[in-house]
Amino acid sequence: MSRFPRRFIDDSSMEDAGISLCPSIHYRPINPNDLDRLEQIHRDIFPIKYESEFFQSVVNGVDIVSWAAVDRSRPDDHSDELIGFVTAKFVLAKDSEIDDLIHYDSSKGEETLIYILTLGVVETYRNRGIAMSLISEVIKYASGLSVCRGVYLHVIAHNNAAICLYKRLMFRCVRRLHGFYLINRHHFDAFLFVYFINGSRTPCSPLEVAMFVVNYMKSGIKSVASKLANKDEKGLKWLFCKDTDCVLPSQTKPKLGSSSAYEFI
């Protein structure tokens, strides 16, 4: 069991999926002077509590790497104050939950991954591309480490804005984990996203294989439906299923409202 809490991100900060619109925003490592502000922002935007040990590890760089976003255009006493942050830790690739997806290079010795723990932006600075820039800082850092094979993270399944952001950043959704988060005594599913670097990308993830099969079947069904419609066969009614964009015969009505592991892929 990791001594750090499961990763969480601020849902609303993920709306800023564009390029940074404010040239005065700068990015730097988090340091001990950021402790109080870092704790405050975590309390304000996250639904779970983080222990003091976590914050001490972040500001002192103990097993954690981090980046802060600050606005240099603010008055002097606030020009270096946190307005956003991302925290992450190193994980041995062989001990990670995606070890089966990594293409190993035996010549590089002990290979690692970077796992993103928390990501957030204060409300007044959202929709300026800061979240995207923070994630980009992590990717740039990881790409410069020859032994690092990728960056990965979890995102709660209903956080559509964050999912869109990671897709734009070329992360790959490789798994859906049922009941991963426990918040206020309720379980929530999570998606596992990976950004492969330094030649670690596998030919195809299990989820991508499943998506290929689903799309292939959808194409087949559409082809059959088209042929039958052209023949104007009588006595067979067809339904249009909004969930799958496919045509189905009326005697095999789909179960609408069921969740799909592929809806955000």
Side-chain angles (χ1 to χ4, degrees):
M1 179 69 69
S2 169
R3 61 193 181 91
F4 297 121
R6 282 182 171 176
R7 172 195 176 276
F8 219 93
I9 64 173
D10 173 23
D11 291 21
S12 49
S13 70
M14 295 302 99
E15 295 176 1
D16 56 0
I19 297 174
S20 182
L21 303 178
C22 186
S24 64
I25 304 299
H26 290 256
Y27 303 91
R28 61 164 176 79
I30 293 177
N31 60 58
N33 294 328
D34 298 316
L35 178 61
D36 292 341
R37 179 67 170 165
L38 185 67
E39 290 181 339
Q40 177 190 337
I41 300 176
H42 275 73
R43 285 195 303 269
D44 290 345
I45 64 180
F46 294 137
I48 58 179
K49 180 181 178 181
Y50 289 85
E51 301 298 329
S52 60
E53 179 189 9
F54 168 71
F55 297 111
Q56 289 293 336
S57 296
V58 173
V59 300
N60 292 299
V62 179
D63 300 326
I64 288 183
V65 291
S66 62
W67 287 262
V70 298
D71 184 357
R72 299 297 191 199
S73 69
R74 301 179 73 187
D76 290 341
D77 54 338
H78 295 291
S79 63
D80 201 45
E81 184 178 78
L82 263 68
I83 59 170
F85 60 85
V86 60
T87 67
K89 67 175 182 176
F90 285 97
V91 178
L92 287 177
K94 66 179 182 180
D95 297 332
S96 73
E97 58 191 297
I98 59 170
D99 64 310
D100 58 319
L101 302 177
I102 300 297
H103 176 70
Y104 291 96
D105 184 347
S106 58
S107 66
K108 293 186 177 181
E110 202 89 272
E111 296 177 319
T112 64
L113 299 164
I114 290 183
Y115 175 70
I116 294 179
L117 293 164
T118 61
L119 169 68
V121 177
V122 299
E123 185 174 0
T124 53
Y125 280 88
R126 290 168 187 166
N127 302 310
R128 302 191 190 189
I130 295 174
M132 175 172 278
S133 295
L134 285 165
I135 294 293
S136 297
E137 289 291 323
V138 179
I139 293 173
K140 181 170 64 175
Y141 172 76
S143 299
L145 304 174
S146 61
V147 296
C148 187
R149 314 305 284 160
V151 178
Y152 73 110
L153 54 87
H154 296 96
V155 59
I156 200 164
H158 61 250
N159 190 350
N160 296 348
I163 291 165
C164 289
L165 172 65
Y166 297 132
K167 289 171 65 177
R168 289 189 62 178
L169 285 167
M170 304 307 292
F171 277 76
R172 296 168 62 197
C173 183
V174 295
R175 286 185 183 132
R176 181 169 188 154
L177 306 172
H178 296 280
F180 181 82
Y181 289 111
L182 178 61
I183 304 173
N184 296 327
R185 300 183 179 181
H186 294 284
H187 288 278
F188 297 89
D189 291 357
F191 287 114
L192 178 59
F193 278 86
V194 185
Y195 185 95
F196 294 101
I197 59 176
N198 296 327
S200 66
R201 178 171 177 165
T202 54
C204 202
S205 74
L207 195 53
E208 288 173 324
V209 172
M211 275 302 300
F212 174 80
V213 173
V214 170
N215 290 330
Y216 182 82
M217 293 176 65
K218 285 165 60 177
S219 298
I221 293 174
K222 286 182 179 180
S223 177
V224 171
S226 177
K227 291 180 180 179
L228 290 175
N230 290 336
K231 291 181 179 180
D232 194 24
E233 291 190 359
K234 298 181 180 181
L236 182 61
K237 297 180 180 179
W238 296 85
L239 293 175
F240 181 77
C241 174
K242 293 183 179 179
D243 284 359
T244 59
D245 283 342
C246 66
V247 180
L248 297 173
S250 60
Q251 60 264 37
T252 57
K253 293 182 179 180
K255 296 180 180 179
L256 300 180
S258 60
S259 61
S260 169
Y262 318 116
E263 56 185 322
F264 300 124
I265 308 305

